[in-house]
Amino acid sequence: MDKLKMHSPNLTEEHIRKIRDLFPGCVTEAKDEDGNLNLAVDFDLLKQELSDSIVDGPQERYHLNWPGKREALLTANAPIAKTLRPYREESVDFETTQNLFIEGDNLDALKLLQETYLGKVKMIYIDPPYNTGNDFIYEDDFAVDKSEYELASGVRDEHGNKQFEEDRWKQNSAAKGRFHSDWLSMMYPRLKLAKNLLRKDGVMFISIDDGEVAQLRKMCDEVFGEGNFVAQLVWERAFSPKNDAKFISNSHDYVLMFAKSILDFTIGRLKRTAETDSRYTNPDNDPRGPWSSSDISVKTYAAANDYPIKAPSGKIIEPPAGRCWSLSKKAFLERLEDNRIWFGPNGDNVPRIKRFLSEIREGMTPTSILFYKEVGHSQEGSQEVKKLLGDQGVFDGPKPVRLLRRLLTIANTDKDALILDFFAGSSTTAHAVMQLNAEDGGNRKFIMVQLPEPCDEKSEAFRAGYQNIAEISKERIRRAGKRIKDEKSASSLDTGFRVLKVDSSNMAEVYYTPDAVKQEMLFDNVDNIKPDRTPEDLLFQVLLDWGVELTLPICREPMHGKTVFFVDENALAACFDIGITEELVKDLAAYQPLRVVFRDNGFDSDALKINVEQIFRQLSPETEVKTI
């Protein structure tokens, strides 16, 4: 039987396979430093394939570059031997919810989600560190081997003991020569991986300030493609000026908006309000109801549209200097006949075309400025967290729910959309998703990812009992969900979430490097699964490896004295117990699951292990059988 690989996908290998499909002559075999043969790209030949002239040496080109960019790309593509472990006691409605809260490094989380959620996310919103010089950012280095990486990143000390997560953070002082480079290297692999998760009609929003907006815009142009840029939204985050500002009182932040594919994305329109509808009147008592008027002259000159118009008063009106009418003479006369041209109350004004409220009820086009009166300001975001958690200052700078509600609308999220936020912070995004679902009956689902960044021991959050930011984030979702259910009387609303935490693989090192095991070590490596891992831990790593959704219902069934997991009824069956008998295998095959997985050393005999595939081939030929 084949074994599951039990690590995140190697994106470099995937990219090489795609190149081989397009240019088979450019992919060859080469020995690595251990003497093993692997596929490799002949880049000189590939460059020539993509050029209509002879390629000779590096050429100047327009692009964003920084020290560490190549390492950042390697970081994005490198596989990791990690997993997500379930924590039922921290979850809400673990058995039934379709929402996820992932605690851990978001780079690891994004890699682990690649197969399961590839092309399934409708909207991504992130509010990353703004790189003010005081923000903590991730140190990523996958250009070293596993032991060196864990030592450098603080996961383990020089003796192999696991360290606190806070050792993975650092301050990025503006005095450093790599001030921008470190931040860009942190963001680049995360954006590359995030793009993979978006649907074809998906869209990504990124909050940022003046400090890195220029660099981030160019990076997103590269990752998403300049043609997929939608807008650089301006959020009015402050409602009063700061008189102690050195130069300008900064009242705004930005939200960059990029589509996965601009040709597949449709903008969501805003609901009309009483204020906007009040701009429509009916001074001529038109039976079609209230209307407003707009200019019919344009800058783009066309001789055919340059003609005089006679007003009802008899006045002759020419287009303004350097302009012409937007309508041909024939089209103008048709609209005049239909009473769609307005010359003012006295019949001698410059003509304007009437736009009827009854004909534009589908909604308003969003504007690039997000005014605080419409979407909230930074103080509103802080007050929302304070009201929920009952503590002053437990989280710095949370975004207001109304801002995320606006983004969910213009992202055109359908009622079953999946929304991802991998810099979750206080989980405003989850709060907004639940609130929107309560209002329109939707079933949008969220995935929040947050590193357990330790709270400062002097902070209000720490004094309130929160050890890290992830705890604040989870508690906000719990309380916001309860409040929304109570206020909206929406008992069926999904306000739960499964908590999964990034951890090292459930598999012992021998699983990945069996050739490295010496004969004298065999008795220490009889089991390839770590002793502190539960069957449910193993199940979730199998779900990741097989690309099965992590929120599907899970059922435990006793069979012949063993525990069998059924995921989404027959989508997957798994038994990780020892001493599996032929009777159990046959009974399990009778369920005809799509996939089944066993522990490699779980069978009560070697003969049964050899015959398992044959049993399933006879009783359930469509079942895919694997071991771990």
Side-chain angles (χ1 to χ4, degrees), residues 168-394:
R168 302 201 63 186
W169 298 79
K170 64 173 184 176
Q171 276 192 309
N172 191 35
S173 168
K176 289 182 56 181
R178 288 180 54 89
F179 176 65
H180 290 295
S181 298
D182 281 347
W183 190 87
L184 290 168
S185 291
M186 183 272 290
M187 290 294 296
Y188 190 59
R190 289 164 173 82
L191 293 180
K192 295 275 287 184
L193 293 167
K195 180 192 173 187
N196 296 339
L197 301 179
L198 283 174
R199 290 170 15 182
K200 283 185 69 177
D201 64 342
V203 64
M204 183 165 189
F205 299 93
I206 310 171
S207 284
I208 198 66
D209 67 354
D210 283 307
E212 293 290 358
V213 66
Q215 287 71 242
L216 180 61
R217 172 78 178 270
K218 296 312 300 177
M219 183 192 293
C220 288
D221 283 343
E222 178 177 321
V223 172
F224 291 91
E226 190 174 354
N228 290 315
F229 171 73
V230 180
Q232 183 165 309
L233 306 173
V234 181
W235 172 44
E236 188 183 19
R237 62 173 174 78
F239 58 87
S240 59
K242 295 180 181 179
N243 291 324
D244 60 348
K246 186 176 181 180
F247 296 113
I248 300 292
S249 178
N250 195 321
S251 300
H252 70 278
D253 278 345
Y254 301 99
V255 182
L256 294 185
M257 182 179 180
F258 278 82
K260 174 77 171 283
S261 169
I262 199 74
L263 297 177
D264 295 290
F265 175 67
T266 301
I267 198 75
R269 301 179 73 86
L270 307 180
K271 287 184 178 179
R272 303 198 63 82
T273 64
E275 180 185 353
T276 55
D277 287 353
S278 68
R279 299 169 191 163
Y280 290 76
T281 59
N282 196 359
D284 62 348
N285 294 317
D286 194 304
R288 289 165 289 194
W291 52 268
S292 68
S293 63
S294 60
D295 189 7
I296 64 167
S297 70
V298 292
K299 290 181 180 179
T300 306
Y301 184 79
N305 289 10
D306 187 353
Y307 52 87
I309 291 175
K310 186 177 181 180
S313 65
K315 181 180 178 181
I316 302 300
I317 302 172
E318 299 280 353
R323 300 171 71 92
C324 66
W325 306 121
S326 61
L327 301 169
S328 67
K329 191 169 185 177
K330 180 176 181 293
F332 172 80
L333 292 174
E334 289 173 350
R335 284 158 180 77
L336 182 65
E337 179 69 21
D338 195 30
N339 191 25
R340 289 178 179 266
I341 302 298
W342 176 245
F343 290 93
N346 298 323
D348 60 357
N349 287 358
V350 174
R352 296 172 65 85
I353 192 164
K354 294 160 70 173
R355 311 281 185 189
F356 292 92
L357 179 59
S358 60
E359 297 175 351
I360 55 171
R361 285 286 185 183
E362 72 276 8
M364 302 183 297
T365 301
T367 63
S368 60
I369 301 180
L370 303 169
F371 294 104
Y372 75 79
K373 290 182 180 179
E374 299 175 359
V375 302
H377 45 67
S378 56
Q379 287 189 23
E380 180 177 313
S382 297
Q383 288 298 317
E384 287 169 343
V385 175
K386 181 182 176 183
K387 287 178 183 177
L388 280 172
L389 302 183
D391 300 292
Q392 181 68 41
V394 295

Side-chain angles (χ1 to χ4, degrees), residues 122-133:
K122 170 59 177 172
M123 168 183 155
I124 299 175
Y125 170 79
I126 58 171
D127 184 13
Y130 280 10
N131 203 21
T132 62

Side-chain angles (χ1 to χ4, degrees), residues 400-421:
V401 172
R402 285 198 292 162
L403 174 63
L404 268 298
R405 282 286 313 278
R406 172 63 61 85
L407 300 183
L408 286 165
T409 299
I410 64 179
N412 205 17
T413 58
D414 49 274
K415 291 189 176 182
D416 291 314
L418 177 60
I419 290 88
L420 168 65
D421 184 344

Side-chain angles (χ1 to χ4, degrees), residues 133-145:
N134 297 315
D135 290 313
F136 291 101
I137 66 171
Y138 295 84
E139 262 191 312
D140 301 321
D141 185 4
F142 283 83
V144 296
D145 66 31

